[in-house]
Amino acid sequence: MKKNVVTIVGPTAVGKTKLSIELAMRFNGEIINGDSMQVYKGFDIGTAKVRPAEMQEIPHHLIDIKEPEQEFSAADFKAYVQKYINEISARGKLPIIVGGSGLYIQSALYDYHFSNIKRDHDLTMKMEEIVASQGIMPLYNQLVQIDPEQAEKIHPNNHRRVIRALEIYESTGKTMTEYQKTQSMESPYNPILLGLEMERALLYKRINERVDQMMAAGLLEEVRELYGKGLQDCQPMKAIGYKEFIPYFKKEQTLEETIDLLKRNSRRYAKRQFTWFKNKMDVTWYSLTPDTADEKFGVIFEDLAGILK
């Protein structure tokens, strides 16, 4: 029989962490982080990393396993998640993946193969030289022409993914979009996908409030310390919650402008997450509000109990 794997998805700030812990407590589960940035040490507040006090002694995996300078790819994520699923299931417990990195989660749950497309380091180096001398936009505009669907998914600031998409096209003659569409949607597991959604105005209000809470919790100090260590060019510093502060430290914008930008980027990211999960994965969605979350969680518990019989 295939192993059951529960996955909780949805936009940022919707309540995935709280649900994951309650599910783990009720169904004897262990949690696997599904956020691509929470693997990095020191990137805590801006990634909304679960705090030890919130964990309720539930084991959490795939958190703080990488140094900031280390790369971490969807293929790496897939390998780690499969390892943890096997170990958790062998203990007679339920693996629960929680997070918002859509492609990473899809790649781990389904039969994605990444090793077929080897890296072309010479080509990558040439494109990195272009970025260093001319900025990312010449390459990003090239991607828009070659693969507009993929360009829509990738923010220009994510240099690594822009370069990788172009590298795949140059190496294979196929766009990243074409390559992804050939991937199998068969899963080696029994994936149970639960999605949390919230009316947009409520969600955006919640996102704005969470940014304020992050600032009160010391986000500025966290990013300042990382920036002071010379980490501004590392992969996690390009994530939302961190990249917005770089112009502030360079005295190119005010703190107020920085916070407004962070809120805007977080709202836009939430919209992209929601659209991605709606279009790409077979998710059972539960709509909630801050006031009805506990009631809706009860419905989810009942539904999941029926599935796991």
Side-chain angles (χ1 to χ4, degrees), residues 155-172:
H155 194 282
N157 286 345
N158 196 331
H159 299 175
R160 189 176 58 86
R161 286 189 62 196
V162 172
I163 288 173
R164 180 59 172 155
L166 289 172
E167 181 192 346
I168 286 173
Y169 178 73
E170 294 293 337
S171 300
T172 69

Side-chain angles (χ1 to χ4, degrees), residues 34 43 58 82 96 158 177 204 208 299:
F43 289 75
I58 299 295
Q82 291 185 337
I96 301 171
N158 196 331
T177 298
Y204 285 1
N208 291 341
V299 173

Side-chain angles (χ1 to χ4, degrees), residues 67 77 79 159 221 239:
E67 298 297 335
F77 180 82
H159 299 175
E221 291 74 22

Side-chain angles (χ1 to χ4, degrees), residues 80-265:
Y80 274 106
V81 168
Q82 291 185 337
K83 168 180 173 288
Y84 288 128
I85 288 173
N86 290 335
E87 291 174 355
I88 292 167
S89 298
R91 290 193 283 271
K93 295 194 171 187
L94 177 67
I96 301 171
I97 303 172
V98 55
S101 298
L103 177 61
Y104 279 53
I105 291 173
Q106 188 180 39
S107 72
L109 289 178
Y110 298 95
D111 195 20
Y112 268 44
H113 299 286
F114 295 91
S115 58
N116 299 342
I117 304 178
K118 293 194 165 37
R119 303 305 303 251
D120 185 333
H121 293 289
D122 289 341
L123 181 59
T124 299
M125 191 174 298
K126 286 178 184 175
M127 286 192 278
E128 286 176 348
E129 287 171 358
I130 291 172
V131 173
S133 62
Q134 302 174 45
I136 189 61
M137 289 315 295
L139 295 181
Y140 185 76
N141 290 335
Q142 186 180 342
L143 181 61
V144 170
Q145 295 298 317
I146 291 169
D147 189 357
E149 191 173 333
Q150 196 65 29
E152 179 69 22
K153 299 176 189 175
I154 302 175
H155 194 282
N157 286 345
N158 196 331
H159 299 175
R160 189 176 58 86
R161 286 189 62 196
V162 172
I163 288 173
R164 180 59 172 155
L166 289 172
E167 181 192 346
I168 286 173
Y169 178 73
E170 294 293 337
S171 300
T172 69
K174 281 187 176 181
T175 66
M176 178 79 91
T177 298
E178 289 172 328
Y179 180 72
Q180 288 174 353
K181 285 176 180 174
T182 66
Q183 294 285 350
S184 168
M185 285 305 285
E186 285 296 312
S187 177
Y189 312 110
N190 176 32
I192 302 161
L193 287 96
L194 311 174
L196 297 183
E197 59 181 335
M198 189 176 287
E199 193 273 321
R200 186 171 295 178
L202 274 176
L203 180 64
Y204 285 1
K205 180 174 181 289
R206 204 168 155 91
I207 288 170
N208 291 341
E209 290 171 349
R210 186 161 80 163
V211 169
D212 291 335
Q213 291 164 3
M214 286 177 169
M215 292 300 296
L219 177 59
L220 176 61
E221 291 74 22
E222 176 175 284
V223 188
R224 193 194 303 276
E225 181 177 351
L226 295 165
Y227 182 79
K229 291 178 179 178
L231 297 173
Q232 60 266 31
D233 294 323
C234 69
Q235 185 174 335
M237 193 66 97
K238 295 179 173 64
I240 294 170
Y242 297 89
K243 64 183 180 182
E244 291 82 6
F245 288 90
I246 305 300
Y248 169 69
F249 295 140
K250 293 180 176 179
K251 303 190 186 309
E252 295 170 359
Q253 68 189 22
T254 67
L255 184 58
E256 184 179 3
E257 289 170 334
T258 300
I259 295 169
D260 286 344
L261 182 61
L262 174 51
K263 289 177 178 178
R264 189 198 72 183
N265 287 348

